[in-house]
Amino acid sequence: MIDKSNQKLLKIAKNIALKAGQVVKEQENLSQKFSFDDENIKEMKAEMDIVIEKIIIEELMLTGLSILSEEKGCISGDRLDSRRWIIDPIDGTFNFVKKLGPCAISIGLWDKDLPVFGVVFSLNTNELFWGGKEFGSFCNEDRISVSSASNISFSSVCTGFPVRLNMIANDTAAEFWRSVSSFSKVRMIGCASMSLVYVARGSAEAYFENQIMIWDVAAGIPLVEGAGGRVSIKSGSSLNALHVFAANKSIFTAARFE
């Protein structure tokens, strides 16, 4: 049975994502205004990130729940409620600014360390993806499901190198090649939330990324689960960093993932 409280929160999140997506269209003049993070020169910050974050946070604060945002950090809410919002105003900022590939508005609801539901609005296609274990997963109003592929040799995997990943560590390259070598195709699209959407809708069989930040995957993980897939989540080497592997059930079992 669906939790009515979560159902209400899902409706709120969907409306917010659609509203924020409309603002992105209306303020297209901000799309190429950006700067690089002072602490990490690989991290790009767009002005649109700030605009969209403000809209999302103002709306979500009305729910009384705590919020974790990529830009603002933690915003405390009802301490008696273990649920929290985890948001990325624009996931795939580099793609967004450079018009290079997929980018999305990402809003996830988690209960402690467990995903409840996710809402991802694709800024490239204007599609709204939403769902979770107790809801199923959807694109707009159409049900989506993971791929039925069972042979990893004919399967595709989406992945990437997060900006916080230590690329010169001795085991980084070895782990990467060990993880992808069995797949037929490897794709790096620069947007974790949409990579997980592709797994949820069956366009790709798997996704993995090491040291990816929780706000990048918080909405996509429950979408995969709601679409019939499986997800492994392990803590990363820094706060809010994760090691994530998601796939349909057959590939999840077959993949060489650690």
Side-chain angles (χ1 to χ4, degrees):
M1 183 178 295
I2 296 176
D3 184 307
K4 289 185 178 180
S5 175
N6 288 338
Q7 193 170 34
K8 181 180 179 181
L9 292 173
L10 174 56
K11 183 177 180 180
I12 290 171
K14 289 166 65 178
N15 288 337
I16 293 172
L18 290 170
K19 176 181 178 180
Q22 184 61 38
V23 172
V24 172
K25 289 183 184 178
E26 293 172 352
Q27 299 191 25
E28 192 174 356
N29 61 306
L30 293 179
S31 64
Q32 291 186 305
K33 295 183 179 180
F34 68 93
S35 61
F36 286 98
D37 192 290
D38 293 334
E39 296 180 2
N40 191 329
I41 59 172
K42 294 182 180 180
E43 187 75 75
M44 177 183 282
K45 301 294 182 183
E47 286 192 22
M48 188 66 80
D49 274 306
I50 306 303
V51 171
I52 298 304
E53 182 188 52
K54 185 174 184 293
I55 291 170
I56 295 174
I57 288 178
E58 285 180 351
E59 297 278 356
L60 291 182
M61 285 183 70
L62 298 176
T63 68
L65 300 180
S66 297
I67 302 169
L68 173 63
S69 173
E70 178 180 12
E71 311 301 333
K72 283 283 188 181
C74 294
I75 301 172
S76 296
D78 184 354
R79 297 184 183 277
L80 298 179
D81 197 321
S82 57
R83 295 172 299 178
R84 61 171 175 162
W85 297 104
I86 306 177
I87 68 172
D88 190 346
I90 298 181
D91 183 28
T93 300
F94 189 88
N95 287 353
F96 176 75
V97 170
K98 297 291 186 177
K99 302 186 185 303
L100 185 61
C103 48
I105 294 166
S106 174
I107 303 174
L109 181 72
W110 286 46
D111 191 341
K112 295 181 179 177
D113 295 325
L114 296 176
V116 178
F117 65 70
V119 175
V120 176
F121 181 75
S122 168
L123 292 169
N124 304 82
T125 64
N126 296 322
E127 293 173 305
L128 184 70
F129 298 91
W130 56 276
K133 269 186 180 179
E134 63 177 316
F135 302 95
S137 291
F138 298 80
C139 173
N140 298 325
E141 299 304 320
D142 296 326
R143 190 77 178 252
I144 59 174
S145 62
V146 294
S147 165
S148 60
S150 58
N151 189 334
I152 194 171
S153 298
F154 300 123
S155 300
S156 59
V157 58
C158 292
T159 186
F161 296 119
V163 296
R164 294 167 182 81
L165 181 64
N166 183 358
M167 297 296 294
I168 62 174
N170 292 333
D171 59 348
T172 298
E175 179 185 355
F176 178 81
W177 290 115
R178 183 172 60 248
S179 299
V180 305
S181 60
S182 298
F183 289 90
S184 173
K185 299 293 181 181
V186 180
R187 293 292 180 264
M188 296 185 183
I189 64 171
C191 181
S193 61
M194 287 304 299
S195 293
L196 285 159
V197 162
Y198 294 150
V199 175
R201 76 184 315 179
S203 301
E205 279 67 49
Y207 160 83
F208 90 89
E209 208 154 354
N210 188 9
Q211 306 308 319
I212 189 70
M213 302 308 287
I214 189 170
W215 42 75
D216 294 318
V217 295
I221 286 174
L223 285 174
V224 172
E225 293 181 333
R230 294 181 62 187
V231 183
S232 168
I233 307 170
K234 299 179 181 179
S235 297
S237 59
S238 60
L239 181 65
N240 294 320
L242 300 174
H243 197 166
V244 176
F245 176 60
N248 71 30
K249 292 179 180 178
S250 296
I251 302 304
F252 187 90
T253 302
R256 298 173 61 192
F257 174 79
E258 298 179 1

